[in-house]
Amino acid sequence: MNWKQIAGSWVMLPQRPIGIVHFLGGAFVATAPNVTYRLLLEYLAQKGFAIIATPFVNTLDHSAIAQQVLLNFERVIVRLEDREPVFKGYLPTYGLGHSMGCKLHLLIGCSPGVERAGNILMSFNNYAARDAIPLVEQFNTAVNVEFTPSPVETYSLVKENYNIRRNLLIKFNNDTLDQSAALNKLLQNRFGDMVTTQMLKGNHLTPLGQDVKWQPSQEFNPLDALGQWFKQEVYRDLNQLKRSLILWLNPLSPL
């Protein structure tokens, strides 16, 4: 399987997809999700899920970004239905978001007519612009610089309009940016047991786990053992995340 660029999104297609994952990344790493989240997304593709990773550039207008990435996703689906017979039938579609990508999936889920089999929201945060952008306080204080929708408006929209019933919220134990607790309470009030929260080992950057290249020498030595240990430690939290995602998406899948 190789990455293909289709209608502005990065796409990876298994031979016989069992579902579709629409991925949206974090604010400053979302422009090349096929690179920054490669290990995580390619693992899901290996497990049978068609991956559509839509890049975006962050602005203050998160509503506009959400509508644009939804439009780009739908354009990919139209192209795939034209090219691949399997996409003409029903395939469950899941949203997968990290950090700001979670907020975008929530806003998409508030749009009329959007159907998802579920959403996975990793390291959700809903900060005000002054907290999320370090330089915002240097703007003229007479100008109100804020995201659209604001944090309060976002929660209100979710409370009134969010229609995706099945949700998995993932929080990492060393993630100081995570605000999943407030979202979990809000979603459980709407959907009860359809909402699950998991606490995993890791931090805000765990979903971006990158490949660590280690070439052992021809004769295995103590330095090689150290390298192997380091690689295992780097991958440990990411591998736990992979297992959690696939067990939620497809409980019958072999790990």
Side-chain angles (χ1 to χ4, degrees):
M1 290 183 290
N2 295 309
W3 287 101
K4 302 176 182 178
Q5 199 165 23
I6 302 176
S9 290
W10 288 99
V11 179
M12 178 166 279
L13 302 177
Q15 284 190 344
R16 297 179 180 85
I18 60 174
I20 301 169
V21 170
H22 183 207
F23 179 77
L24 300 172
F28 302 109
V29 288
T31 55
N34 59 311
V35 176
T36 48
Y37 295 91
R38 183 178 68 83
L39 293 180
L40 182 62
L41 298 181
E42 291 183 1
Y43 171 81
L44 295 179
Q46 291 166 5
K47 294 298 182 180
F49 289 90
I51 306 299
I52 302 175
T54 305
F56 63 88
V57 176
N58 191 18
T59 67
L60 292 175
D61 194 340
H62 291 175
S63 292
I65 298 173
Q67 290 306 307
Q68 186 60 53
V69 296
L70 175 59
L71 178 61
N72 290 348
F73 170 78
E74 291 175 341
R75 286 172 174 166
V76 175
I77 295 298
V78 170
R79 298 275 187 92
L80 291 177
E81 288 175 346
D82 289 339
R83 301 177 185 178
E84 307 286 342
V86 68
F87 286 93
K88 294 180 180 179
Y90 172 75
L91 287 175
T93 298
Y94 300 90
L96 173 61
H98 174 230
S99 194
M100 179 182 167
C102 299
K103 180 177 179 179
L104 297 179
H105 273 304
L106 290 170
L107 295 177
I108 289 171
C110 292
S111 301
V114 171
E115 295 184 4
R116 294 287 185 270
N119 276 342
I120 301 176
L121 309 172
M122 305 180 293
S123 299
F124 167 74
N125 60 56
N126 186 33
Y127 286 104
R130 65 179 180 274
D131 299 319
I133 306 174
L135 297 178
V136 76
E137 292 184 351
Q138 297 183 22
F139 288 103
N140 188 332
T141 55
V143 178
N144 180 23
V145 179
E146 185 52 279
F147 295 130
T148 303
S150 69
V152 172
E153 291 168 342
T154 298
Y155 285 130
S156 179
L157 283 169
V158 172
K159 182 178 181 180
E160 296 176 7
N161 300 316
Y162 184 67
N163 293 314
I164 313 303
R165 298 181 60 83
R166 186 169 180 244
N167 294 269
L168 172 64
L169 278 60
I170 291 181
K171 175 181 173 62
F172 298 101
N173 62 340
N174 289 321
D175 187 352
T176 59
L177 301 177
D178 186 276
Q179 294 179 308
S180 297
L183 179 62
N184 176 66
K185 183 177 180 180
L186 183 62
L187 293 180
Q188 285 200 337
N189 285 339
R190 281 181 61 81
F191 305 122
D193 293 341
M194 299 292 285
V195 180
T196 304
T197 295
Q198 289 186 14
M199 174 75 77
L200 302 179
K201 291 183 179 179
N203 56 51
H204 199 73
L205 301 180
T206 293
L208 283 82
Q210 297 299 304
D211 197 2
V212 178
K213 302 298 183 183
W214 180 266
Q215 289 295 116
S217 57
Q218 290 184 345
E219 294 184 5
F220 196 82
N221 59 49
L223 184 60
D224 292 325
L226 179 62
Q228 294 287 0
W229 173 84
F230 176 73
K231 189 172 183 178
Q232 289 173 3
E233 289 297 301
V234 170
Y235 289 158
R236 181 186 56 192
D237 295 342
L238 178 62
N239 288 337
Q240 183 184 36
L241 172 61
K242 290 177 180 178
R243 290 192 293 269
S244 294
L245 295 185
I246 203 62
L247 281 173
W248 189 85
L249 288 166
N250 182 17
L252 299 180
S253 174
L255 296 177

